[in-house]
Coordinates of all heavy atoms in Angstrom, one line a residue:
Chain A
M118 N -33.2 -17.8 18.4 CA -32.1 -17.5 17.6 C -32.2 -18.0 16.2 O -31.9 -17.4 15.2 CB -30.8 -17.9 18.2 CG -30.2 -17.0 19.3 SD -30.0 -15.3 18.6 CE -31.3 -14.4 19.5
R119 N -32.8 -19.3 16.1 CA -33.0 -19.9 14.8 C -34.0 -19.1 14.0 O -33.8 -18.9 12.8 CB -33.5 -21.3 15.0 CG -32.3 -22.1 15.5 CD -32.5 -23.6 15.2 NE -31.3 -24.2 15.5 CZ -31.2 -25.5 15.9 NH1 -32.3 -26.2 16.1 NH2 -30.0 -26.0 16.2
N120 N -35.1 -18.7 14.7 CA -36.1 -17.9 14.0 C -35.5 -16.6 13.5 O -35.8 -16.1 12.4 CB -37.3 -17.7 14.9 CG -38.0 -19.0 15.1 OD1 -37.9 -20.0 14.4 ND2 -38.8 -19.0 16.2
A121 N -34.7 -16.0 14.4 CA -34.1 -14.7 14.0 C -33.2 -14.9 12.9 O -33.2 -14.0 11.9 CB -33.4 -14.1 15.2
A122 N -32.4 -15.9 12.9 CA -31.5 -16.2 11.8 C -32.2 -16.3 10.5 O -31.8 -15.8 9.5 CB -30.6 -17.4 12.1
A123 N -33.3 -17.1 10.5 CA -34.1 -17.3 9.3 C -34.6 -16.0 8.8 O -34.6 -15.7 7.6 CB -35.2 -18.3 9.6
K124 N -35.1 -15.1 9.7 CA -35.7 -13.8 9.3 C -34.5 -12.9 8.7 O -34.8 -12.2 7.8 CB -36.3 -13.1 10.5 CG -37.7 -13.6 10.8 CD -38.5 -12.7 11.7 CE -39.8 -13.3 12.0 NZ -40.5 -12.7 13.1
L125 N -33.4 -13.0 9.3 CA -32.2 -12.2 8.9 C -31.9 -12.7 7.4 O -31.7 -11.8 6.6 CB -31.1 -12.5 9.8 CG -29.8 -11.6 9.7 CD1 -30.2 -10.1 9.9 CD2 -28.7 -12.0 10.6
M126 N -31.8 -14.0 7.2 CA -31.4 -14.5 5.9 C -32.5 -14.2 4.9 O -32.2 -14.2 3.7 CB -31.0 -16.0 6.0 CG -29.9 -16.3 6.9 SD -28.5 -15.2 6.8 CE -27.6 -16.0 5.4
A127 N -33.7 -14.0 5.3 CA -34.8 -13.8 4.4 C -34.9 -12.3 4.0 O -35.6 -12.0 3.1 CB -36.1 -14.2 5.0
R128 N -34.0 -11.5 4.6 CA -34.1 -10.0 4.2 C -33.6 -9.8 2.8 O -32.8 -10.7 2.3 CB -33.2 -9.2 5.2 CG -33.8 -9.0 6.6 CD -32.9 -8.1 7.4 NE -32.9 -6.8 6.8 CZ -33.7 -5.8 7.1 NH1 -34.7 -6.1 8.0 NH2 -33.6 -4.6 6.6
Chain C
I97 N -24.9 -19.5 9.8 CA -26.1 -18.6 9.9 C -26.5 -18.4 11.4 O -26.7 -17.2 11.8 CB -27.3 -19.2 9.1 CG1 -27.0 -19.2 7.6 CG2 -28.5 -18.4 9.4 CD1 -27.9 -20.1 6.8
A101 N -26.3 -14.9 13.5 CA -27.5 -14.3 14.2 C -27.2 -14.1 15.7 O -27.5 -13.1 16.3 CB -28.7 -15.3 14.1

Side-chain angles (χ1 to χ4, degrees):
Chain A
M118 277 302 110
R119 287 203 171 151
N120 293 338
K124 281 194 181 167
L125 191 62
M126 300 315 278
R128 285 185 67 86
Chain C
I97 292 168

